Amino acid sequence: MSTVTPSRTQSPADTSTPARPPRLLDWRLRFGLLSLIWGFSFLLIKVGTGAYAPFQVTLGRLLFGTLVLVAAMAVKRERLPRGARTWAHLTVAAFFLNALPFSLFAFAELTIPSTLAGICNATSPLWGMAFSLVALSEDRPTRIRVAGLGLGFLGVLTVLGAWQGFHGLDARGTALALLASLSYPVGWIYVRRTLAGTTNSHLSMTGAQLLLATLQLALVTPLFTSIPAHFPVVPLLAVAALGALGTGVAMLIQYGLVAEVGPTTAQMVTYFVPVIATVAGVTILGESLRWTTPVGAAIVIAGAALTQVRRKG
């Protein structure tokens, strides 16, 4: 759950120039579909963790997502990237862009509503902007972008009800969700510094990244969880949908949007995700909604949008 290239991406392969995919659907329809898929992902996490341990939900998500990309690679007859250096960098990228944030969101939603998790996810551009101040010398901020950073974090404080002493808020769960959103820009910056200019295709790099993240969770999960005695169907279907749609198919749609309309337009999906996550959580899961949540979310989205404004010329 994150968006596109290089400042907003889940995949290192966005650093290469992709070929245009066939236009089976108008890009606006795919844009809307991607927004819905990522927006509902937080609801699916909530349903999945209702029956399975967070690490198990994350492992299932990565496994189903990897299977989708492997199938896509088989259809297009693409191979995994080669070279120990590439695989080493992809291992780090897989941790910060997939294994870590996916796990943190799953643990967070044990104690916070999916609506709050979706809004926390929208802070990723804010963290990215903050990191770019010191980590990416070629990406110097403008006054508008710095103002957006301040506005965005003001929105976070509004969502959390800071002036009310964070009353009724689970601090641990919220902190985990914010750490998950922080993990994405750490991964993006690492990718920009180590895998920019790769000659491997987007699909090949993304498939390898998800495969490595799946292996990481496969090693960790047995150490902290035991095999479930029962496999409730609805939560299991939620995990399968979270992986196949929210990770695998979403990455393929994201790639197509970047190739067709460019990263600037494609990354606008970010601003719809918390809105959809909130609507889904309230209407389907019956989660409560204080006025500070939608107001704060709107401020966060506005601030995040300003941080993406680039200097002309």
Side-chain angles (χ1 to χ4, degrees):
M1 268 158 299
S2 65
T3 40
V4 269
T5 67
S7 60
R8 286 287 289 152
T9 181
Q10 275 185 315
S11 170
D14 286 334
T15 55
S16 61
T17 302
R20 287 184 177 273
R23 299 179 182 180
L24 300 178
L25 289 175
D26 183 82
W27 73 267
R28 296 169 188 84
L29 295 176
R30 284 178 279 130
F31 181 97
L33 179 60
L34 183 59
S35 300
L36 285 172
I37 290 174
W38 272 338
F40 271 86
S41 292
F42 297 96
L43 179 149
L44 295 174
I45 293 172
K46 192 72 171 179
V47 174
T49 53
Y52 302 104
F55 277 137
Q56 293 170 345
V57 171
T58 304
L59 175 59
R61 175 183 187 175
L62 289 168
L63 178 60
F64 283 108
T66 301
L67 290 176
V68 169
L69 292 186
V70 168
M73 290 178 63
V75 170
K76 295 188 176 183
R77 298 182 179 180
E78 292 202 21
R79 297 180 178 179
L80 292 171
R82 298 180 180 179
R85 177 182 175 277
T86 298
W87 280 91
H89 290 316
L90 282 174
T91 299
V92 178
F95 176 75
F96 283 109
L97 294 174
N98 300 112
L100 180 61
F102 290 1
S103 298
L104 288 175
F105 272 124
F107 274 101
E109 291 201 40
L110 289 176
T111 55
I112 66 173
S114 64
T115 53
L116 180 56
I119 294 170
C120 288
N121 180 72
T123 64
S124 285
L126 304 177
W127 296 119
M129 173 65 189
F131 286 143
S132 72
L133 296 177
V134 294
L136 297 174
S137 58
E138 74 276 11
D139 192 22
R140 301 317 328 177
T142 62
R143 291 181 179 178
I144 291 179
R145 297 179 69 195
V146 172
L149 180 64
L151 182 64
F153 283 114
L154 175 62
V156 172
L157 293 177
T158 302
V159 171
L160 303 182
W163 63 88
Q164 298 174 332
F166 305 103
H167 178 69
L169 182 73
D170 184 82
R172 178 178 176 274
T174 304
L176 290 177
L178 289 173
L179 283 174
S181 69
L182 184 150
S183 179
Y184 289 124
V186 172
W188 302 325
I189 291 173
Y190 180 83
V191 163
R192 289 179 66 174
R193 290 192 174 278
T194 60
L195 290 169
T198 178
T199 57
N200 295 290
S201 73
H202 169 97
L203 183 57
S204 173
M205 296 285 280
T206 304
Q209 178 184 311
L210 277 188
L211 176 61
L212 288 167
T214 303
L215 292 175
Q216 290 170 2
L217 261 295
L219 293 174
V220 170
T221 301
L223 300 178
F224 297 94
T225 65
S226 56
I227 298 176
H230 305 284
F231 292 87
V233 175
V234 173
L236 183 60
L237 291 176
V239 173
L242 179 64
L245 296 176
T247 303
V249 172
M251 284 187 168
L252 296 177
I253 296 175
Q254 176 196 29
Y255 165 55
L257 286 173
V258 173
E260 185 171 342
V261 300
T264 301
T265 300
Q267 73 183 7
M268 291 180 68
V269 169
T270 306
Y271 313 131
F272 291 89
V273 170
V275 176
I276 295 171
T278 299
V279 172
V282 171
T283 59
I284 298 177
L285 297 180
E287 296 177 344
S288 61
L289 186 66
R290 298 181 299 176
W291 70 266
T292 54
T293 301
V295 171
I299 298 174
V300 168
I301 293 170
L306 288 177
T307 64
Q308 302 305 302
V309 175
R310 305 287 174 175
R311 181 185 287 111
K312 295 182 178 180

PDB file of all heavy atoms in Angstrom, residues 10-24:
ATOM      1  N   GLN A  10       6.426   1.276  -4.428  1.00  0.00           N
ATOM      2  CA  GLN A  10       6.634   0.037  -3.701  1.00  0.00           C
ATOM      3  C   GLN A  10       7.692  -0.786  -4.405  1.00  0.00           C
ATOM      4  O   GLN A  10       8.114  -1.798  -3.915  1.00  0.00           O
ATOM      5  CB  GLN A  10       5.335  -0.787  -3.681  1.00  0.00           C
ATOM      6  CG  GLN A  10       4.396  -0.407  -2.577  1.00  0.00           C
ATOM      7  CD  GLN A  10       3.230  -1.331  -2.545  1.00  0.00           C
ATOM      8  OE1 GLN A  10       2.645  -1.663  -3.561  1.00  0.00           O
ATOM      9  NE2 GLN A  10       2.866  -1.775  -1.373  1.00  0.00           N
ATOM     10  N   SER A  11       8.063  -0.377  -5.566  1.00  0.00           N
ATOM     11  CA  SER A  11       8.917  -1.234  -6.361  1.00  0.00           C
ATOM     12  C   SER A  11      10.139  -0.521  -6.882  1.00  0.00           C
ATOM     13  O   SER A  11      10.049   0.570  -7.418  1.00  0.00           O
ATOM     14  CB  SER A  11       8.131  -1.779  -7.564  1.00  0.00           C
ATOM     15  OG  SER A  11       9.001  -2.412  -8.443  1.00  0.00           O
ATOM     16  N   PRO A  12      11.333  -1.118  -6.763  1.00  0.00           N
ATOM     17  CA  PRO A  12      12.540  -0.513  -7.264  1.00  0.00           C
ATOM     18  C   PRO A  12      12.573  -0.432  -8.765  1.00  0.00           C
ATOM     19  O   PRO A  12      13.303   0.352  -9.331  1.00  0.00           O
ATOM     20  CB  PRO A  12      13.654  -1.436  -6.748  1.00  0.00           C
ATOM     21  CG  PRO A  12      12.987  -2.735  -6.513  1.00  0.00           C
ATOM     22  CD  PRO A  12      11.596  -2.399  -6.100  1.00  0.00           C
ATOM     23  N   ALA A  13      11.798  -1.236  -9.446  1.00  0.00           N
ATOM     24  CA  ALA A  13      11.854  -1.249 -10.895  1.00  0.00           C
ATOM     25  C   ALA A  13      11.305   0.012 -11.509  1.00  0.00           C
ATOM     26  O   ALA A  13      11.484   0.254 -12.692  1.00  0.00           O
ATOM     27  CB  ALA A  13      11.080  -2.443 -11.445  1.00  0.00           C
ATOM     28  N   ASP A  14      10.647   0.870 -10.722  1.00  0.00           N
ATOM     29  CA  ASP A  14      10.141   2.108 -11.264  1.00  0.00           C
ATOM     30  C   ASP A  14      11.274   3.046 -11.642  1.00  0.00           C
ATOM     31  O   ASP A  14      11.040   4.082 -12.260  1.00  0.00           O
ATOM     32  CB  ASP A  14       9.255   2.816 -10.232  1.00  0.00           C
ATOM     33  CG  ASP A  14       7.909   2.122 -10.094  1.00  0.00           C
ATOM     34  OD1 ASP A  14       7.499   1.474 -11.059  1.00  0.00           O
ATOM     35  OD2 ASP A  14       7.299   2.240  -9.024  1.00  0.00           O
ATOM     36  N   THR A  15      12.513   2.731 -11.266  1.00  0.00           N
ATOM     37  CA  THR A  15      13.640   3.570 -11.623  1.00  0.00           C
ATOM     38  C   THR A  15      14.056   3.357 -13.061  1.00  0.00           C
ATOM     39  O   THR A  15      14.856   4.094 -13.595  1.00  0.00           O
ATOM     40  CB  THR A  15      14.843   3.268 -10.704  1.00  0.00           C
ATOM     41  OG1 THR A  15      15.131   1.865 -10.772  1.00  0.00           O
ATOM     42  CG2 THR A  15      14.501   3.631  -9.266  1.00  0.00           C
ATOM     43  N   SER A  16      13.537   2.337 -13.728  1.00  0.00           N
ATOM     44  CA  SER A  16      13.808   2.133 -15.135  1.00  0.00           C
ATOM     45  C   SER A  16      12.622   2.635 -15.933  1.00  0.00           C
ATOM     46  O   SER A  16      11.562   2.917 -15.413  1.00  0.00           O
ATOM     47  CB  SER A  16      14.034   0.638 -15.425  1.00  0.00           C
ATOM     48  OG  SER A  16      12.896  -0.089 -15.094  1.00  0.00           O
ATOM     49  N   THR A  17      12.800   2.777 -17.240  1.00  0.00           N
ATOM     50  CA  THR A  17      11.733   3.263 -18.090  1.00  0.00           C
ATOM     51  C   THR A  17      10.947   2.095 -18.636  1.00  0.00           C
ATOM     52  O   THR A  17      11.448   1.305 -19.427  1.00  0.00           O
ATOM     53  CB  THR A  17      12.320   4.072 -19.277  1.00  0.00           C
ATOM     54  OG1 THR A  17      13.095   5.136 -18.744  1.00  0.00           O
ATOM     55  CG2 THR A  17      11.187   4.626 -20.128  1.00  0.00           C
ATOM     56  N   PRO A  18       9.686   1.941 -18.210  1.00  0.00           N
ATOM     57  CA  PRO A  18       8.913   0.796 -18.635  1.00  0.00           C
ATOM     58  C   PRO A  18       8.309   0.977 -20.009  1.00  0.00           C
ATOM     59  O   PRO A  18       8.109   2.091 -20.478  1.00  0.00           O
ATOM     60  CB  PRO A  18       7.803   0.733 -17.578  1.00  0.00           C
ATOM     61  CG  PRO A  18       7.635   2.150 -17.137  1.00  0.00           C
ATOM     62  CD  PRO A  18       8.965   2.794 -17.262  1.00  0.00           C
ATOM     63  N   ALA A  19       8.025  -0.152 -20.645  1.00  0.00           N
ATOM     64  CA  ALA A  19       7.338  -0.102 -21.926  1.00  0.00           C
ATOM     65  C   ALA A  19       5.856   0.069 -21.665  1.00  0.00           C
ATOM     66  O   ALA A  19       5.338  -0.350 -20.644  1.00  0.00           O
ATOM     67  CB  ALA A  19       7.590  -1.396 -22.697  1.00  0.00           C
ATOM     68  N   ARG A  20       5.158   0.704 -22.590  1.00  0.00           N
ATOM     69  CA  ARG A  20       3.731   0.930 -22.413  1.00  0.00           C
ATOM     70  C   ARG A  20       2.963  -0.371 -22.534  1.00  0.00           C
ATOM     71  O   ARG A  20       3.132  -1.103 -23.494  1.00  0.00           O
ATOM     72  CB  ARG A  20       3.210   1.924 -23.454  1.00  0.00           C
ATOM     73  CG  ARG A  20       3.650   3.359 -23.194  1.00  0.00           C
ATOM     74  CD  ARG A  20       3.014   4.288 -24.222  1.00  0.00           C
ATOM     75  NE  ARG A  20       3.376   5.665 -23.951  1.00  0.00           N
ATOM     76  CZ  ARG A  20       2.720   6.463 -23.129  1.00  0.00           C
ATOM     77  NH1 ARG A  20       1.669   5.991 -22.486  1.00  0.00           N
ATOM     78  NH2 ARG A  20       3.090   7.702 -22.930  1.00  0.00           N
ATOM     79  N   PRO A  21       2.090  -0.664 -21.572  1.00  0.00           N
ATOM     80  CA  PRO A  21       1.296  -1.876 -21.630  1.00  0.00           C
ATOM     81  C   PRO A  21       0.093  -1.673 -22.541  1.00  0.00           C
ATOM     82  O   PRO A  21      -0.276  -0.536 -22.857  1.00  0.00           O
ATOM     83  CB  PRO A  21       0.839  -2.052 -20.177  1.00  0.00           C
ATOM     84  CG  PRO A  21       0.764  -0.653 -19.660  1.00  0.00           C
ATOM     85  CD  PRO A  21       1.841   0.109 -20.360  1.00  0.00           C
ATOM     86  N   PRO A  22      -0.542  -2.756 -22.960  1.00  0.00           N
ATOM     87  CA  PRO A  22      -1.757  -2.623 -23.763  1.00  0.00           C
ATOM     88  C   PRO A  22      -2.838  -1.920 -22.949  1.00  0.00           C
ATOM     89  O   PRO A  22      -2.988  -2.156 -21.758  1.00  0.00           O
ATOM     90  CB  PRO A  22      -2.155  -4.079 -24.054  1.00  0.00           C
ATOM     91  CG  PRO A  22      -0.966  -4.898 -23.735  1.00  0.00           C
ATOM     92  CD  PRO A  22      -0.171  -4.157 -22.730  1.00  0.00           C
ATOM     93  N   ARG A  23      -3.605  -1.059 -23.609  1.00  0.00           N
ATOM     94  CA  ARG A  23      -4.630  -0.296 -22.916  1.00  0.00           C
ATOM     95  C   ARG A  23      -5.954  -1.049 -22.953  1.00  0.00           C
ATOM     96  O   ARG A  23      -6.817  -0.767 -23.784  1.00  0.00           O
ATOM     97  CB  ARG A  23      -4.783   1.091 -23.539  1.00  0.00           C
ATOM     98  CG  ARG A  23      -3.508   1.916 -23.470  1.00  0.00           C
ATOM     99  CD  ARG A  23      -3.689   3.278 -24.120  1.00  0.00           C
ATOM    100  NE  ARG A  23      -2.458   4.044 -24.093  1.00  0.00           N
ATOM    101  CZ  ARG A  23      -2.340   5.283 -24.603  1.00  0.00           C
ATOM    102  NH1 ARG A  23      -3.388   5.852 -25.173  1.00  0.00           N
ATOM    103  NH2 ARG A  23      -1.199   5.918 -24.547  1.00  0.00           N
ATOM    104  N   LEU A  24      -6.096  -2.026 -22.067  1.00  0.00           N
ATOM    105  CA  LEU A  24      -7.322  -2.812 -22.018  1.00  0.00           C
ATOM    106  C   LEU A  24      -8.451  -2.015 -21.390  1.00  0.00           C
ATOM    107  O   LEU A  24      -9.618  -2.179 -21.744  1.00  0.00           O
ATOM    108  CB  LEU A  24      -7.079  -4.101 -21.225  1.00  0.00           C
ATOM    109  CG  LEU A  24      -5.994  -5.030 -21.786  1.00  0.00           C
ATOM    110  CD1 LEU A  24      -5.827  -6.245 -20.887  1.00  0.00           C
ATOM    111  CD2 LEU A  24      -6.324  -5.454 -23.206  1.00  0.00           C
TER     112      LEU A  24
END
